[in-house]
Every structure is written in C-alpha cells, then in structure tokens.
C-alpha cells in the first residue's frame, strides 16, 4: 500500500515538474504581454520563431501601409537588431532594412540599409516609402517603430529579421551577425490580412502562425500540446485521490 502510494506520488511530482517546464519557457513573455513606452497599440502580434524576436503590426488597406513594432535583444549589449521587408526574394539579399543600435551617447537610433546582395550593404533610402521611424531601448531590448508602404492589395510580404553583436557607432554600420542556424532561418512570410484572434491568414482555418514559421517554438497553455499534458496531470491526480 505504502509503496504504491509512494510510486504514484513520484509520478505526479514528475508530471507537475514537466508541466512547469512547458508553461514557463525561456520565451514565456510573449508578444501579447508586451507594451511600449509610447503606448502604441497594434491590431496583431506574433512571436517570431527564431532569435527571441517579436513583431506587432497593423495593416491599413486604405493607404497600403503597414505599421510595425519589432522587438528583439541584440546578440551583445552593444549590438544591433534589424527588421526588413524583402520585395524581391525571401531571404537577406534584397532586404530593405531598419537597423537599431545605440549611438555614442547611448541613445537608440535607426538606420535604413539596402542589402542589395550578400556582399553589399548600402546605407540610405529604401526602395519603398517609410515614415514615423523611431526606436526604444529598455531592459537590454530594442523596439523599432516604423510605418512602411506596401504594394496595393498585397496579401503578404517577405520579412527578415536579425540580431548582431557590434556596430560602428559613428557610421551606424553593423558588424556581421553570427551564422548559426537561428540566424540563417530568421525569415518568413508576413500575412497582412489576418484573423486578429488567431493570427492566421484571413479566410483560413489554419492554426499556423501568420509569419509562416510557427509561434515562439515553445508550448504554452492554450495550445493543444499543453492542454493534453494538463489532462494527463488531472488524471494522475485523480487517481491519487481515488487511491
């Protein structure tokens, strides 16, 4: 009797520990809990699948504009973060980029860069209009704010994001980022017209993240995986009580 009760207790403790790990991942602070110093609000947000990054956005079909707030930590404290739209391809080459860094006095700033190829990064005007550009830096995290012009009636855009470890504070020119798998996979499709409650493309029943790369990559309460685990835990505890 005592040994059986002890075994059931060990099983229940193990499931509780596993559940705690799942619902308290390193990336538990999802986009839905984020707020900004300037109190801006957005219609949608997405936990990007790589580099612990987040995107908040509102699409305005009336003037074909996309307002965004991109949130990410640089690879090192003096590093940079970047978010881009690529009008011609899916990855970095061709990306029209907004890059945030800290200037010599520590203030956040944003540069615009045309990454015309993997060997050519040109500071200057992007291939599309961009306005209301600014940045915040708090808790070792950058937020880039901007509104960009997108093609009329576009259903989606190709987005690319990245983080780096250092920048020339005089020129704002970034030092190359790492080439680890997360850095090389940090691109996806951003669907402009989405269901605000699910983040999926409008007119679909898909549960996939609207960026085309999934959510944060960690299970959270409310996802099918976590609810299944929670159900098992309830059954185990029920068995203990019945015993």
């Amino acid at each position: 009797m005592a040994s059986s009760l002890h075994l059931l207790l060990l099983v229940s403790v193990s499931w509780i520990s596993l559940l705690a790990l799942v619902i308290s991942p390193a990336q538990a602070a999802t986009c839905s809990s984020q707020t900004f110093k300037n109190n801006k609000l957005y219609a949608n947000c997405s936990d990007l699948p790589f580099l612990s990054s987040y995107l908040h956005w509102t699409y305005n079909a009336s003037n074909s504009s996309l307002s965004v707030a991109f949130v990410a930590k640089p690879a090192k404290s003096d590093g940079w973060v970047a978010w881009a739209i690529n009008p011609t391809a899916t990855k970095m080459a061709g990306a029209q980029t907004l890059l945030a860094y800290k200037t010599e006095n520590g203030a956040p700033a944003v540069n615009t860069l045309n990454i015309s190829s993997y060997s050519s990064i040109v500071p200057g005007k992007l291939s599309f209009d961009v306005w209301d550009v600014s940045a915040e830096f708090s808790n070792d995290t950058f937020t880039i704010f901007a509104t960009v012009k997108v093609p009329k009636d576009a259903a989606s855009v190709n987005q690319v994001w990245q983080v780096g470890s250092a920048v020339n504070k005089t020129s704002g020119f970034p030092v190359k980022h790492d080439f680890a798998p997360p850095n090389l996979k940090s691109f996806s499709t951003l669907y402009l017209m989405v269901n605000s409650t699910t983040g999926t493309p409008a007119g679909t029943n898909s549960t996939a993240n609207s960026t085309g790369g999934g959510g944060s990559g960690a299970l959270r309460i409310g996802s099918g995986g976590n609810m299944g685990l929670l159900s098992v835990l309830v059954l185990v505890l029920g068995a203990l009580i019945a015993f």
Side-chain angles (χ1 to χ4, degrees), residues 112-150:
T112 54
L113 304 171
N114 179 356
I115 305 178
S116 56
S117 71
Y118 288 107
S119 59
S120 176
I121 300 177
V122 182
K125 189 176 171 130
L126 304 183
S127 65
F128 45 76
D129 290 337
V130 55
W131 61 96
D132 293 339
V133 179
S134 64
E136 289 180 357
F137 186 79
S138 179
N139 298 321
D140 299 319
T141 300
F142 281 106
T143 302
I144 298 175
F145 299 98
T147 301
V148 300
K149 192 76 171 178
V150 297

PDB file of all heavy atoms in Angstrom, residues 112-150:
ATOM      1  N   THR A 112      18.546  53.107 -42.069  1.00  0.00           N
ATOM      2  CA  THR A 112      17.945  52.346 -43.166  1.00  0.00           C
ATOM      3  C   THR A 112      19.055  51.831 -44.065  1.00  0.00           C
ATOM      4  O   THR A 112      19.953  52.574 -44.456  1.00  0.00           O
ATOM      5  CB  THR A 112      16.963  53.214 -43.969  1.00  0.00           C
ATOM      6  OG1 THR A 112      17.624  54.405 -44.402  1.00  0.00           O
ATOM      7  CG2 THR A 112      15.767  53.591 -43.119  1.00  0.00           C
ATOM      8  N   LEU A 113      18.984  50.548 -44.389  1.00  0.00           N
ATOM      9  CA  LEU A 113      20.030  49.895 -45.173  1.00  0.00           C
ATOM     10  C   LEU A 113      19.403  49.084 -46.298  1.00  0.00           C
ATOM     11  O   LEU A 113      18.444  48.343 -46.091  1.00  0.00           O
ATOM     12  CB  LEU A 113      20.859  48.951 -44.293  1.00  0.00           C
ATOM     13  CG  LEU A 113      21.528  49.554 -43.054  1.00  0.00           C
ATOM     14  CD1 LEU A 113      22.119  48.440 -42.199  1.00  0.00           C
ATOM     15  CD2 LEU A 113      22.607  50.535 -43.456  1.00  0.00           C
ATOM     16  N   ASN A 114      19.963  49.231 -47.476  1.00  0.00           N
ATOM     17  CA  ASN A 114      19.558  48.417 -48.621  1.00  0.00           C
ATOM     18  C   ASN A 114      20.592  47.310 -48.782  1.00  0.00           C
ATOM     19  O   ASN A 114      21.721  47.558 -49.191  1.00  0.00           O
ATOM     20  CB  ASN A 114      19.499  49.288 -49.876  1.00  0.00           C
ATOM     21  CG  ASN A 114      19.101  48.487 -51.110  1.00  0.00           C
ATOM     22  OD1 ASN A 114      18.939  47.273 -51.058  1.00  0.00           O
ATOM     23  ND2 ASN A 114      18.966  49.173 -52.229  1.00  0.00           N
ATOM     24  N   ILE A 115      20.200  46.085 -48.416  1.00  0.00           N
ATOM     25  CA  ILE A 115      21.125  44.954 -48.549  1.00  0.00           C
ATOM     26  C   ILE A 115      20.938  44.384 -49.946  1.00  0.00           C
ATOM     27  O   ILE A 115      20.220  43.411 -50.164  1.00  0.00           O
ATOM     28  CB  ILE A 115      20.864  43.898 -47.460  1.00  0.00           C
ATOM     29  CG1 ILE A 115      20.928  44.568 -46.083  1.00  0.00           C
ATOM     30  CG2 ILE A 115      21.881  42.770 -47.543  1.00  0.00           C
ATOM     31  CD1 ILE A 115      20.652  43.654 -44.927  1.00  0.00           C
ATOM     32  N   SER A 116      21.606  45.035 -50.885  1.00  0.00           N
ATOM     33  CA  SER A 116      21.392  44.685 -52.291  1.00  0.00           C
ATOM     34  C   SER A 116      21.933  43.303 -52.635  1.00  0.00           C
ATOM     35  O   SER A 116      21.461  42.663 -53.580  1.00  0.00           O
ATOM     36  CB  SER A 116      22.028  45.735 -53.205  1.00  0.00           C
ATOM     37  OG  SER A 116      23.404  45.880 -52.915  1.00  0.00           O
ATOM     38  N   SER A 117      22.911  42.826 -51.874  1.00  0.00           N
ATOM     39  CA  SER A 117      23.444  41.475 -52.063  1.00  0.00           C
ATOM     40  C   SER A 117      24.137  41.071 -50.772  1.00  0.00           C
ATOM     41  O   SER A 117      24.287  41.879 -49.844  1.00  0.00           O
ATOM     42  CB  SER A 117      24.424  41.422 -53.236  1.00  0.00           C
ATOM     43  OG  SER A 117      25.626  42.093 -52.906  1.00  0.00           O
ATOM     44  N   TYR A 118      24.589  39.832 -50.710  1.00  0.00           N
ATOM     45  CA  TYR A 118      25.264  39.372 -49.500  1.00  0.00           C
ATOM     46  C   TYR A 118      26.595  40.068 -49.279  1.00  0.00           C
ATOM     47  O   TYR A 118      27.140  40.043 -48.179  1.00  0.00           O
ATOM     48  CB  TYR A 118      25.468  37.857 -49.557  1.00  0.00           C
ATOM     49  CG  TYR A 118      24.188  37.084 -49.382  1.00  0.00           C
ATOM     50  CD1 TYR A 118      23.581  36.442 -50.451  1.00  0.00           C
ATOM     51  CD2 TYR A 118      23.567  37.015 -48.134  1.00  0.00           C
ATOM     52  CE1 TYR A 118      22.396  35.749 -50.288  1.00  0.00           C
ATOM     53  CE2 TYR A 118      22.384  36.322 -47.963  1.00  0.00           C
ATOM     54  CZ  TYR A 118      21.803  35.686 -49.038  1.00  0.00           C
ATOM     55  OH  TYR A 118      20.620  35.009 -48.869  1.00  0.00           O
ATOM     56  N   SER A 119      27.130  40.711 -50.315  1.00  0.00           N
ATOM     57  CA  SER A 119      28.414  41.402 -50.185  1.00  0.00           C
ATOM     58  C   SER A 119      28.281  42.915 -50.246  1.00  0.00           C
ATOM     59  O   SER A 119      29.273  43.624 -50.202  1.00  0.00           O
ATOM     60  CB  SER A 119      29.367  40.936 -51.302  1.00  0.00           C
ATOM     61  OG  SER A 119      28.810  41.206 -52.578  1.00  0.00           O
ATOM     62  N   SER A 120      27.034  43.415 -50.325  1.00  0.00           N
ATOM     63  CA  SER A 120      26.845  44.857 -50.471  1.00  0.00           C
ATOM     64  C   SER A 120      25.715  45.344 -49.568  1.00  0.00           C
ATOM     65  O   SER A 120      24.571  44.933 -49.722  1.00  0.00           O
ATOM     66  CB  SER A 120      26.529  45.209 -51.928  1.00  0.00           C
ATOM     67  OG  SER A 120      26.264  46.584 -52.066  1.00  0.00           O
ATOM     68  N   ILE A 121      26.088  46.198 -48.613  1.00  0.00           N
ATOM     69  CA  ILE A 121      25.109  46.826 -47.731  1.00  0.00           C
ATOM     70  C   ILE A 121      25.217  48.327 -47.920  1.00  0.00           C
ATOM     71  O   ILE A 121      26.255  48.929 -47.646  1.00  0.00           O
ATOM     72  CB  ILE A 121      25.359  46.457 -46.259  1.00  0.00           C
ATOM     73  CG1 ILE A 121      25.265  44.933 -46.072  1.00  0.00           C
ATOM     74  CG2 ILE A 121      24.364  47.157 -45.355  1.00  0.00           C
ATOM     75  CD1 ILE A 121      25.559  44.474 -44.663  1.00  0.00           C
ATOM     76  N   VAL A 122      24.147  48.939 -48.416  1.00  0.00           N
ATOM     77  CA  VAL A 122      24.186  50.349 -48.781  1.00  0.00           C
ATOM     78  C   VAL A 122      23.290  51.159 -47.841  1.00  0.00           C
ATOM     79  O   VAL A 122      22.073  50.994 -47.848  1.00  0.00           O
ATOM     80  CB  VAL A 122      23.729  50.551 -50.240  1.00  0.00           C
ATOM     81  CG1 VAL A 122      23.820  52.023 -50.618  1.00  0.00           C
ATOM     82  CG2 VAL A 122      24.564  49.698 -51.188  1.00  0.00           C
ATOM     83  N   PRO A 123      23.883  52.049 -46.997  1.00  0.00           N
ATOM     84  CA  PRO A 123      23.045  52.923 -46.176  1.00  0.00           C
ATOM     85  C   PRO A 123      22.300  53.918 -47.055  1.00  0.00           C
ATOM     86  O   PRO A 123      22.828  54.381 -48.069  1.00  0.00           O
ATOM     87  CB  PRO A 123      24.059  53.651 -45.280  1.00  0.00           C
ATOM     88  CG  PRO A 123      25.325  52.863 -45.388  1.00  0.00           C
ATOM     89  CD  PRO A 123      25.302  52.245 -46.752  1.00  0.00           C
ATOM     90  N   GLY A 124      21.081  54.240 -46.694  1.00  0.00           N
ATOM     91  CA  GLY A 124      20.338  55.220 -47.478  1.00  0.00           C
ATOM     92  C   GLY A 124      18.885  54.860 -47.623  1.00  0.00           C
ATOM     93  O   GLY A 124      18.350  53.984 -46.935  1.00  0.00           O
ATOM     94  N   LYS A 125      18.242  55.527 -48.554  1.00  0.00           N
ATOM     95  CA  LYS A 125      16.807  55.384 -48.771  1.00  0.00           C
ATOM     96  C   LYS A 125      16.449  53.976 -49.214  1.00  0.00           C
ATOM     97  O   LYS A 125      17.162  53.344 -49.991  1.00  0.00           O
ATOM     98  CB  LYS A 125      16.372  56.396 -49.837  1.00  0.00           C
ATOM     99  CG  LYS A 125      14.876  56.482 -49.994  1.00  0.00           C
ATOM    100  CD  LYS A 125      14.497  57.565 -50.989  1.00  0.00           C
ATOM    101  CE  LYS A 125      13.026  57.471 -51.275  1.00  0.00           C
ATOM    102  NZ  LYS A 125      12.338  58.699 -51.170  1.00  0.00           N
ATOM    103  N   LEU A 126      15.307  53.506 -48.695  1.00  0.00           N
ATOM    104  CA  LEU A 126      14.816  52.185 -49.075  1.00  0.00           C
ATOM    105  C   LEU A 126      14.062  52.260 -50.400  1.00  0.00           C
ATOM    106  O   LEU A 126      13.760  53.340 -50.903  1.00  0.00           O
ATOM    107  CB  LEU A 126      13.921  51.623 -47.968  1.00  0.00           C
ATOM    108  CG  LEU A 126      14.549  51.541 -46.575  1.00  0.00           C
ATOM    109  CD1 LEU A 126      13.567  50.884 -45.590  1.00  0.00           C
ATOM    110  CD2 LEU A 126      15.867  50.779 -46.607  1.00  0.00           C
ATOM    111  N   SER A 127      13.733  51.101 -50.926  1.00  0.00           N
ATOM    112  CA  SER A 127      13.043  51.050 -52.219  1.00  0.00           C
ATOM    113  C   SER A 127      11.561  51.368 -52.096  1.00  0.00           C
ATOM    114  O   SER A 127      10.861  51.432 -53.101  1.00  0.00           O
ATOM    115  CB  SER A 127      13.228  49.672 -52.864  1.00  0.00           C
ATOM    116  OG  SER A 127      12.603  48.663 -52.077  1.00  0.00           O
ATOM    117  N   PHE A 128      11.077  51.540 -50.877  1.00  0.00           N
ATOM    118  CA  PHE A 128       9.687  51.933 -50.649  1.00  0.00           C
ATOM    119  C   PHE A 128       9.677  53.022 -49.578  1.00  0.00           C
ATOM    120  O   PHE A 128      10.652  53.205 -48.833  1.00  0.00           O
ATOM    121  CB  PHE A 128       8.824  50.744 -50.221  1.00  0.00           C
ATOM    122  CG  PHE A 128       9.459  49.871 -49.170  1.00  0.00           C
ATOM    123  CD1 PHE A 128       9.517  50.270 -47.830  1.00  0.00           C
ATOM    124  CD2 PHE A 128      10.011  48.637 -49.515  1.00  0.00           C
ATOM    125  CE1 PHE A 128      10.099  49.477 -46.874  1.00  0.00           C
ATOM    126  CE2 PHE A 128      10.595  47.826 -48.555  1.00  0.00           C
ATOM    127  CZ  PHE A 128      10.649  48.247 -47.235  1.00  0.00           C
ATOM    128  N   ASP A 129       8.586  53.757 -49.502  1.00  0.00           N
ATOM    129  CA  ASP A 129       8.486  54.839 -48.521  1.00  0.00           C
ATOM    130  C   ASP A 129       8.404  54.274 -47.108  1.00  0.00           C
ATOM    131  O   ASP A 129       7.760  53.247 -46.862  1.00  0.00           O
ATOM    132  CB  ASP A 129       7.242  55.692 -48.791  1.00  0.00           C
ATOM    133  CG  ASP A 129       7.365  56.507 -50.062  1.00  0.00           C
ATOM    134  OD1 ASP A 129       8.512  56.769 -50.486  1.00  0.00           O
ATOM    135  OD2 ASP A 129       6.311  56.881 -50.630  1.00  0.00           O
ATOM    136  N   VAL A 130       9.038  54.970 -46.175  1.00  0.00           N
ATOM    137  CA  VAL A 130       8.972  54.602 -44.763  1.00  0.00           C
ATOM    138  C   VAL A 130       8.927  55.883 -43.947  1.00  0.00           C
ATOM    139  O   VAL A 130       9.603  56.855 -44.255  1.00  0.00           O
ATOM    140  CB  VAL A 130      10.172  53.707 -44.363  1.00  0.00           C
ATOM    141  CG1 VAL A 130      11.503  54.372 -44.716  1.00  0.00           C
ATOM    142  CG2 VAL A 130      10.117  53.343 -42.894  1.00  0.00           C
ATOM    143  N   TRP A 131       8.092  55.902 -42.904  1.00  0.00           N
ATOM    144  CA  TRP A 131       7.958  57.108 -42.085  1.00  0.00           C
ATOM    145  C   TRP A 131       7.668  56.722 -40.634  1.00  0.00           C
ATOM    146  O   TRP A 131       7.518  55.537 -40.310  1.00  0.00           O
ATOM    147  CB  TRP A 131       6.888  58.033 -42.656  1.00  0.00           C
ATOM    148  CG  TRP A 131       5.499  57.490 -42.737  1.00  0.00           C
ATOM    149  CD1 TRP A 131       4.501  57.663 -41.829  1.00  0.00           C
ATOM    150  CD2 TRP A 131       4.939  56.691 -43.804  1.00  0.00           C
ATOM    151  NE1 TRP A 131       3.353  57.025 -42.249  1.00  0.00           N
ATOM    152  CE2 TRP A 131       3.588  56.434 -43.452  1.00  0.00           C
ATOM    153  CE3 TRP A 131       5.439  56.177 -45.001  1.00  0.00           C
ATOM    154  CZ2 TRP A 131       2.744  55.672 -44.262  1.00  0.00           C
ATOM    155  CZ3 TRP A 131       4.609  55.414 -45.809  1.00  0.00           C
ATOM    156  CH2 TRP A 131       3.277  55.172 -45.435  1.00  0.00           C
ATOM    157  N   ASP A 132       7.640  57.747 -39.769  1.00  0.00           N
ATOM    158  CA  ASP A 132       7.413  57.538 -38.330  1.00  0.00           C
ATOM    159  C   ASP A 132       8.399  56.516 -37.761  1.00  0.00           C
ATOM    160  O   ASP A 132       8.036  55.621 -36.975  1.00  0.00           O
ATOM    161  CB  ASP A 132       5.975  57.076 -38.049  1.00  0.00           C
ATOM    162  CG  ASP A 132       4.946  58.144 -38.369  1.00  0.00           C
ATOM    163  OD1 ASP A 132       5.323  59.328 -38.420  1.00  0.00           O
ATOM    164  OD2 ASP A 132       3.766  57.794 -38.575  1.00  0.00           O
ATOM    165  N   VAL A 133       9.665  56.664 -38.137  1.00  0.00           N
ATOM    166  CA  VAL A 133      10.693  55.722 -37.698  1.00  0.00           C
ATOM    167  C   VAL A 133      11.291  56.184 -36.368  1.00  0.00           C
ATOM    168  O   VAL A 133      11.682  57.348 -36.219  1.00  0.00           O
ATOM    169  CB  VAL A 133      11.811  55.593 -38.748  1.00  0.00           C
ATOM    170  CG1 VAL A 133      12.893  54.637 -38.263  1.00  0.00           C
ATOM    171  CG2 VAL A 133      11.244  55.132 -40.078  1.00  0.00           C
ATOM    172  N   SER A 134      11.358  55.290 -35.404  1.00  0.00           N
ATOM    173  CA  SER A 134      11.976  55.596 -34.120  1.00  0.00           C
ATOM    174  C   SER A 134      12.360  54.290 -33.434  1.00  0.00           C
ATOM    175  O   SER A 134      12.070  53.198 -33.936  1.00  0.00           O
ATOM    176  CB  SER A 134      11.023  56.406 -33.227  1.00  0.00           C
ATOM    177  OG  SER A 134       9.869  55.651 -32.908  1.00  0.00           O
ATOM    178  N   ALA A 135      13.012  54.424 -32.275  1.00  0.00           N
ATOM    179  CA  ALA A 135      13.412  53.229 -31.533  1.00  0.00           C
ATOM    180  C   ALA A 135      13.365  53.495 -30.044  1.00  0.00           C
ATOM    181  O   ALA A 135      13.538  54.628 -29.581  1.00  0.00           O
ATOM    182  CB  ALA A 135      14.812  52.786 -31.940  1.00  0.00           C
ATOM    183  N   GLU A 136      13.121  52.433 -29.283  1.00  0.00           N
ATOM    184  CA  GLU A 136      13.213  52.440 -27.833  1.00  0.00           C
ATOM    185  C   GLU A 136      14.254  51.413 -27.420  1.00  0.00           C
ATOM    186  O   GLU A 136      14.472  50.417 -28.123  1.00  0.00           O
ATOM    187  CB  GLU A 136      11.878  52.050 -27.184  1.00  0.00           C
ATOM    188  CG  GLU A 136      10.773  53.067 -27.287  1.00  0.00           C
ATOM    189  CD  GLU A 136       9.478  52.591 -26.617  1.00  0.00           C
ATOM    190  OE1 GLU A 136       9.464  51.431 -26.122  1.00  0.00           O
ATOM    191  OE2 GLU A 136       8.502  53.347 -26.592  1.00  0.00           O
ATOM    192  N   PHE A 137      14.907  51.652 -26.283  1.00  0.00           N
ATOM    193  CA  PHE A 137      15.811  50.647 -25.713  1.00  0.00           C
ATOM    194  C   PHE A 137      15.540  50.559 -24.222  1.00  0.00           C
ATOM    195  O   PHE A 137      15.637  51.546 -23.503  1.00  0.00           O
ATOM    196  CB  PHE A 137      17.272  51.013 -25.959  1.00  0.00           C
ATOM    197  CG  PHE A 137      18.223  49.936 -25.515  1.00  0.00           C
ATOM    198  CD1 PHE A 137      18.440  48.820 -26.304  1.00  0.00           C
ATOM    199  CD2 PHE A 137      18.888  50.035 -24.299  1.00  0.00           C
ATOM    200  CE1 PHE A 137      19.303  47.811 -25.887  1.00  0.00           C
ATOM    201  CE2 PHE A 137      19.752  49.036 -23.876  1.00  0.00           C
ATOM    202  CZ  PHE A 137      19.971  47.921 -24.673  1.00  0.00           C
ATOM    203  N   SER A 138      15.158  49.375 -23.768  1.00  0.00           N
ATOM    204  CA  SER A 138      14.830  49.163 -22.362  1.00  0.00           C
ATOM    205  C   SER A 138      15.049  47.699 -22.012  1.00  0.00           C
ATOM    206  O   SER A 138      14.732  46.809 -22.812  1.00  0.00           O
ATOM    207  CB  SER A 138      13.370  49.558 -22.095  1.00  0.00           C
ATOM    208  OG  SER A 138      13.015  49.334 -20.755  1.00  0.00           O
ATOM    209  N   ASN A 139      15.611  47.451 -20.824  1.00  0.00           N
ATOM    210  CA  ASN A 139      15.863  46.073 -20.372  1.00  0.00           C
ATOM    211  C   ASN A 139      16.655  45.273 -21.400  1.00  0.00           C
ATOM    212  O   ASN A 139      16.335  44.120 -21.696  1.00  0.00           O
ATOM    213  CB  ASN A 139      14.542  45.365 -20.047  1.00  0.00           C
ATOM    214  CG  ASN A 139      13.785  46.028 -18.918  1.00  0.00           C
ATOM    215  OD1 ASN A 139      14.378  46.475 -17.943  1.00  0.00           O
ATOM    216  ND2 ASN A 139      12.463  46.096 -19.050  1.00  0.00           N
ATOM    217  N   ASP A 140      17.677  45.926 -21.949  1.00  0.00           N
ATOM    218  CA  ASP A 140      18.573  45.291 -22.934  1.00  0.00           C
ATOM    219  C   ASP A 140      17.849  44.883 -24.215  1.00  0.00           C
ATOM    220  O   ASP A 140      18.317  44.000 -24.943  1.00  0.00           O
ATOM    221  CB  ASP A 140      19.268  44.059 -22.332  1.00  0.00           C
ATOM    222  CG  ASP A 140      20.126  44.407 -21.133  1.00  0.00           C
ATOM    223  OD1 ASP A 140      20.813  45.447 -21.186  1.00  0.00           O
ATOM    224  OD2 ASP A 140      20.113  43.652 -20.142  1.00  0.00           O
ATOM    225  N   THR A 141      16.724  45.499 -24.490  1.00  0.00           N
ATOM    226  CA  THR A 141      15.908  45.128 -25.641  1.00  0.00           C
ATOM    227  C   THR A 141      15.593  46.355 -26.494  1.00  0.00           C
ATOM    228  O   THR A 141      15.230  47.405 -25.967  1.00  0.00           O
ATOM    229  CB  THR A 141      14.588  44.480 -25.183  1.00  0.00           C
ATOM    230  OG1 THR A 141      14.885  43.305 -24.421  1.00  0.00           O
ATOM    231  CG2 THR A 141      13.716  44.102 -26.367  1.00  0.00           C
ATOM    232  N   PHE A 142      15.733  46.210 -27.804  1.00  0.00           N
ATOM    233  CA  PHE A 142      15.353  47.264 -28.741  1.00  0.00           C
ATOM    234  C   PHE A 142      13.913  47.046 -29.217  1.00  0.00           C
ATOM    235  O   PHE A 142      13.460  45.907 -29.369  1.00  0.00           O
ATOM    236  CB  PHE A 142      16.242  47.239 -29.987  1.00  0.00           C
ATOM    237  CG  PHE A 142      17.585  47.867 -29.819  1.00  0.00           C
ATOM    238  CD1 PHE A 142      18.720  47.074 -29.726  1.00  0.00           C
ATOM    239  CD2 PHE A 142      17.739  49.248 -29.774  1.00  0.00           C
ATOM    240  CE1 PHE A 142      19.975  47.634 -29.587  1.00  0.00           C
ATOM    241  CE2 PHE A 142      18.992  49.829 -29.637  1.00  0.00           C
ATOM    242  CZ  PHE A 142      20.111  49.025 -29.544  1.00  0.00           C
ATOM    243  N   THR A 143      13.244  48.157 -29.486  1.00  0.00           N
ATOM    244  CA  THR A 143      11.990  48.131 -30.235  1.00  0.00           C
ATOM    245  C   THR A 143      12.121  49.125 -31.376  1.00  0.00           C
ATOM    246  O   THR A 143      12.445  50.295 -31.149  1.00  0.00           O
ATOM    247  CB  THR A 143      10.786  48.502 -29.370  1.00  0.00           C
ATOM    248  OG1 THR A 143      10.698  47.609 -28.258  1.00  0.00           O
ATOM    249  CG2 THR A 143       9.499  48.417 -30.177  1.00  0.00           C
ATOM    250  N   ILE A 144      11.903  48.659 -32.591  1.00  0.00           N
ATOM    251  CA  ILE A 144      11.911  49.521 -33.771  1.00  0.00           C
ATOM    252  C   ILE A 144      10.465  49.807 -34.158  1.00  0.00           C
ATOM    253  O   ILE A 144       9.669  48.884 -34.343  1.00  0.00           O
ATOM    254  CB  ILE A 144      12.630  48.855 -34.957  1.00  0.00           C
ATOM    255  CG1 ILE A 144      14.094  48.580 -34.612  1.00  0.00           C
ATOM    256  CG2 ILE A 144      12.531  49.730 -36.212  1.00  0.00           C
ATOM    257  CD1 ILE A 144      14.833  47.805 -35.701  1.00  0.00           C
ATOM    258  N   PHE A 145      10.143  51.082 -34.290  1.00  0.00           N
ATOM    259  CA  PHE A 145       8.818  51.502 -34.756  1.00  0.00           C
ATOM    260  C   PHE A 145       8.954  52.093 -36.151  1.00  0.00           C
ATOM    261  O   PHE A 145       9.897  52.837 -36.439  1.00  0.00           O
ATOM    262  CB  PHE A 145       8.230  52.573 -33.836  1.00  0.00           C
ATOM    263  CG  PHE A 145       8.036  52.133 -32.419  1.00  0.00           C
ATOM    264  CD1 PHE A 145       8.973  52.456 -31.447  1.00  0.00           C
ATOM    265  CD2 PHE A 145       6.919  51.402 -32.044  1.00  0.00           C
ATOM    266  CE1 PHE A 145       8.802  52.062 -30.131  1.00  0.00           C
ATOM    267  CE2 PHE A 145       6.735  50.995 -30.730  1.00  0.00           C
ATOM    268  CZ  PHE A 145       7.685  51.324 -29.770  1.00  0.00           C
ATOM    269  N   ALA A 146       8.005  51.777 -37.019  1.00  0.00           N
ATOM    270  CA  ALA A 146       8.012  52.359 -38.360  1.00  0.00           C
ATOM    271  C   ALA A 146       6.691  52.073 -39.053  1.00  0.00           C
ATOM    272  O   ALA A 146       5.944  51.155 -38.667  1.00  0.00           O
ATOM    273  CB  ALA A 146       9.155  51.793 -39.199  1.00  0.00           C
ATOM    274  N   THR A 147       6.407  52.868 -40.061  1.00  0.00           N
ATOM    275  CA  THR A 147       5.301  52.595 -40.978  1.00  0.00           C
ATOM    276  C   THR A 147       5.881  52.551 -42.379  1.00  0.00           C
ATOM    277  O   THR A 147       6.635  53.446 -42.768  1.00  0.00           O
ATOM    278  CB  THR A 147       4.211  53.671 -40.890  1.00  0.00           C
ATOM    279  OG1 THR A 147       3.720  53.729 -39.543  1.00  0.00           O
ATOM    280  CG2 THR A 147       3.056  53.355 -41.821  1.00  0.00           C
ATOM    281  N   VAL A 148       5.563  51.502 -43.103  1.00  0.00           N
ATOM    282  CA  VAL A 148       6.123  51.326 -44.444  1.00  0.00           C
ATOM    283  C   VAL A 148       4.998  51.193 -45.465  1.00  0.00           C
ATOM    284  O   VAL A 148       3.897  50.731 -45.157  1.00  0.00           O
ATOM    285  CB  VAL A 148       7.039  50.083 -44.518  1.00  0.00           C
ATOM    286  CG1 VAL A 148       8.198  50.219 -43.538  1.00  0.00           C
ATOM    287  CG2 VAL A 148       6.253  48.806 -44.240  1.00  0.00           C
ATOM    288  N   LYS A 149       5.300  51.604 -46.669  1.00  0.00           N
ATOM    289  CA  LYS A 149       4.365  51.463 -47.783  1.00  0.00           C
ATOM    290  C   LYS A 149       4.529  50.075 -48.382  1.00  0.00           C
ATOM    291  O   LYS A 149       5.645  49.630 -48.665  1.00  0.00           O
ATOM    292  CB  LYS A 149       4.661  52.523 -48.845  1.00  0.00           C
ATOM    293  CG  LYS A 149       3.594  52.663 -49.915  1.00  0.00           C
ATOM    294  CD  LYS A 149       2.383  53.404 -49.399  1.00  0.00           C
ATOM    295  CE  LYS A 149       1.403  53.739 -50.520  1.00  0.00           C
ATOM    296  NZ  LYS A 149       0.203  54.416 -50.016  1.00  0.00           N
ATOM    297  N   VAL A 150       3.424  49.378 -48.563  1.00  0.00           N
ATOM    298  CA  VAL A 150       3.461  48.060 -49.188  1.00  0.00           C
ATOM    299  C   VAL A 150       2.655  48.103 -50.481  1.00  0.00           C
ATOM    300  O   VAL A 150       1.831  49.001 -50.683  1.00  0.00           O
ATOM    301  CB  VAL A 150       2.903  46.980 -48.234  1.00  0.00           C
ATOM    302  CG1 VAL A 150       3.766  46.863 -46.991  1.00  0.00           C
ATOM    303  CG2 VAL A 150       1.460  47.270 -47.847  1.00  0.00           C
TER     304      VAL A 150
END
